[in-house]
């Protein structure tokens, strides 16, 4: 029985653990956090990713804990709504998905579905990976060394697995010139069922999103910038950066910054894509953001993770553990889906954080006009690439999925 180590217990890692267990593999998941990472912002379940969740038998559970979002609206400094994108925008192909679920709630569902047969090792991480012709020998920060047949890095954009096996992050990192910060706040803003986005001149964005819990709100900050020097572990300095960028801003920003100081789930990073020629080396493969992060601007990172996990596990099962054939087939099946999701939505960074008041007004006008344009369908396709692949004919009846 093939013994697989998965590095990373996020969406990609837990989804892969589920499918590998279903196909009869022995699975261990190592996760740096002391417990499953709950909280986080909303993610979309649409297209092929929704189909994967449905094939797991979890779609109704996902709908049960989904966030009730009627759409997103751009607002001015007074809070007046100036451009709306309801959930039905462009036939449901807009930025608000059919099922919006908090990332932590999705991980909780996936973790519960993996069952007692999956071994989880929390509060630990890999430190060394040594491959032989027959196996992979792995050293850990806390645990004793162990031997596995295969290793999968599902440990995010800053993947340690990728650094250990494939080389430094700088070789694969494509920075987009933008930074984002996310955290959970008390809902002192009165936000209910619409996501509110406020752009400011100078390429800045502040946004509020509803949570499943009415007493909470999800906060997003975004801004364009040249590369910033900071320690990824220094959360205090990261909060200072955000406070400095948004000092003096209007709308709800002062209250958002006050809430940020107490946030325990604060996340800050550059908008980055990971671009690689191949996602496997010997007995080690990469999954999700570790191998092909589309960046927050492109979106659908969760979709790529769910579909990638399904396909990787299915190919390993179909190849009866022959990792060389399975990894090659996994890359063939996923390559075009990844390529399409690496294409940014219309406007790219400038669409996310327009440069001037005039650019903001023009973007808002284009949104109001968009449903009436004859080429609206093409715009919808460019905004949402979750449907760039379909699982309808994917041959996993043969892999018993």
């Amino acid at each position: 029985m093939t013994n697989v180590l998965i590095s990373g217990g996020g969406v990609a890692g837990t989804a892969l653990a589920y499918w590998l267990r279903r196909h009869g593999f022995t699975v261990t998941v190592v996760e740096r956090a002391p417990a499953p990472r709950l909280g986080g912002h909303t993610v979309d379940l649409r297209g092929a990713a929704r189909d994967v969740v449905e094939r797991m038998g979890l779609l109704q559970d996902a709908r049960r804990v989904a966030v009730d979002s009627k759409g997103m609206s751009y607002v001015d400094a007074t809070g007046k709504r100036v451009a709306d994108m309801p959930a039905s925008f462009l036939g449901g192909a807009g930025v608000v998905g059919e099922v919006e679920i908090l990332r932590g709630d999705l991980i909780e569902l996936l973790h519960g579905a993996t069952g007692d047969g999956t071994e989880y090792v929390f509060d630990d991480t890999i430190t060394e990976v040594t491959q032989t012709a027959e196996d992979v020998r792995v050293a850990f920060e806390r645990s004793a060394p162990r031997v596995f047949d295969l290793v999968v890095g599902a440990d995010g954009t800053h993947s340690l697995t990728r650094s250990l096996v494939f080389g430094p992050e700088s070789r694969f990192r494509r920075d987009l010139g933008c930074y984002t910060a996310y955290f959970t706040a008390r809902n002192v803003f009165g936000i209910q069922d619409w996501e509110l986005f406020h752009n400011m001149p100078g390429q800045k964005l502040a946004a509020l999103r509803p949570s499943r819990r009415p007493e909470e709100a999800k906060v997003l900050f975004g801004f364009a910038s040249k590369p910033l020097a900071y320690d990824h572990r220094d959360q205090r300095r990261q909060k200072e950066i955000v406070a400095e960028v948004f000092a003096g801003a209007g709308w709800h920003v002062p209250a958002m910054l006050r809430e940020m100081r107490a946030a325990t789930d604060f996340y800050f990073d550059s908008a980055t894509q990971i671009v690689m020629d191949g996602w496997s080396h010997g007995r080690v493969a990469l999954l999700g953001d570790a191998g092909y992060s589309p960046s927050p601007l492109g979106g659908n990172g969760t979709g790529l993770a769910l579909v990638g996990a399904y396909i990787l596990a299915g190919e390993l099962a179909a190849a009866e553990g022959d990792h060389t054939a399975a990894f090659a087939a996994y890359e063939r099946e996923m390559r075009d889906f990844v390529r399409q999701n690496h294409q940014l939505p219309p406007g790219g960074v400038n669409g996310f954080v327009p440069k001037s008041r005039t650019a903001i007004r023009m973007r808002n006008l284009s949104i109001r006009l968009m449903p009436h344009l004859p080429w609206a369908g093409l715009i919808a396709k460019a905004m949402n690439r979750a449907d760039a692949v379909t699982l309808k004919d994917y041959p996993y009846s043969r892999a018993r999925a």
Side-chain angles (χ1 to χ4, degrees):
M1 185 179 295
T2 304
N3 186 11
V4 182
L5 173 68
I6 302 170
S7 176
V11 172
T14 49
L16 180 63
Y18 170 88
W19 287 111
L20 288 176
R21 283 291 303 153
R22 185 160 168 177
H23 292 312
F25 291 77
T26 300
V27 181
T28 299
V29 179
V30 60
E31 166 57 48
R32 183 186 292 274
R37 294 180 185 266
L38 304 182
H41 272 246
T42 54
V43 296
D44 294 337
L45 294 183
R46 63 170 103 206
R50 182 194 56 235
D51 294 343
V52 169
V53 174
E54 186 171 27
R55 293 183 185 197
M56 299 170 97
L58 297 176
L59 185 56
Q60 290 307 310
D61 290 330
R63 292 185 189 278
R64 177 177 50 80
V65 298
V67 175
D68 181 18
S69 178
K70 293 182 179 178
M72 66 173 288
S73 181
Y74 286 98
V75 300
D76 63 18
T78 69
K80 178 183 177 182
R81 287 164 57 169
V82 294
D84 292 341
M85 283 194 280
S88 59
F89 187 70
L90 298 176
V95 295
V96 179
E98 174 192 348
V99 181
E100 295 259 333
I101 182 173
L102 295 175
R103 181 180 180 276
D105 288 343
L106 177 58
I107 290 175
E108 191 170 23
L109 289 177
L110 295 171
H111 184 266
T114 58
D116 296 335
T118 300
E119 177 189 11
Y120 282 90
V121 180
F122 289 104
D123 199 22
D124 206 350
T125 186
I126 62 174
T127 58
E128 188 176 345
V129 176
T130 304
Q131 298 194 61
T132 72
E134 293 78 26
D135 53 38
V136 188
R137 301 174 186 187
V138 181
F140 299 90
E141 188 173 82
R142 296 176 180 271
S143 305
R146 293 173 62 176
V147 177
F148 299 90
D149 297 308
L150 303 173
V151 172
V152 177
D155 43 354
T157 303
H158 304 297
S159 169
L160 179 58
T161 310
R162 187 185 61 234
S163 296
L164 291 171
V165 178
F166 296 81
E169 182 176 304
S170 58
R171 290 177 53 189
F172 314 111
R173 179 187 181 108
R174 179 189 292 168
D175 284 320
L176 302 179
C178 182
Y179 288 81
T180 56
Y182 305 86
F183 57 92
T184 303
R186 296 175 302 157
N187 190 6
V188 297
F189 318 99
I191 189 169
Q192 296 180 358
D193 48 12
W194 278 81
E195 304 174 11
L196 304 180
F197 285 65
H198 174 54
N199 283 105
M200 293 152 269
Q203 296 193 278
K204 302 175 189 177
L205 167 73
L208 291 167
R209 289 173 164 171
S211 173
R212 184 163 60 89
R213 303 165 185 85
E215 68 276 10
E216 289 182 352
K218 301 296 182 178
V219 178
L220 160 67
F221 285 114
F223 61 95
S225 174
K226 294 179 180 178
L228 299 173
Y230 63 93
D231 188 334
H232 285 284
R233 297 163 293 186
D234 188 351
Q235 194 174 95
R236 180 176 178 179
R237 175 55 189 149
Q238 294 165 23
K239 290 183 177 182
E240 288 175 352
I241 291 172
V242 175
E244 290 164 4
V245 170
F246 288 90
W251 190 50
H252 288 299
V253 172
M256 295 162 72
L257 293 176
R258 287 194 296 271
E259 290 294 311
M260 180 182 70
R261 297 188 189 105
T264 58
D265 63 345
F266 178 83
Y267 174 85
F268 177 81
D269 204 354
S270 61
T272 299
Q273 292 183 335
I274 297 298
V275 181
M276 304 181 70
D277 293 332
W279 307 317
S280 65
H281 179 72
R283 292 177 170 269
V284 179
L286 299 175
L287 172 66
D289 284 351
Y292 35 84
S293 169
S295 87
L297 301 189
N300 204 36
T302 298
L304 286 171
L306 288 167
V307 175
Y310 176 74
I311 290 177
L312 176 57
E315 294 294 354
L316 282 167
E320 298 182 346
D322 180 348
H323 64 278
T324 302
F327 290 165
Y330 158 61
E331 295 196 21
R332 284 196 304 271
E333 292 288 346
M334 284 294 293
R335 181 61 66 180
D336 188 57
F337 191 32
V338 169
R339 181 188 60 78
Q340 294 197 48
N341 278 275
H342 274 173
Q343 298 176 37
L344 296 179
V349 172
N350 290 335
F352 179 63
V353 281
K355 293 183 178 181
S356 64
R357 293 186 190 280
T358 299
I360 293 170
R361 286 196 294 267
M362 293 299 294
R363 192 277 316 279
N364 293 341
L365 177 62
S366 70
I367 290 172
R368 292 198 297 270
L369 294 176
M370 203 178 297
H372 309 290
L373 297 176
W375 51 86
L378 295 177
I379 298 172
K381 185 176 181 180
M383 291 178 65
N384 168 32
R385 301 182 187 277
D387 293 314
V389 67
T390 176
L391 300 183
K392 180 179 178 182
D393 300 318
Y394 191 63
Y396 278 102
S397 56
R398 80 174 191 233
R400 303 177 304 282

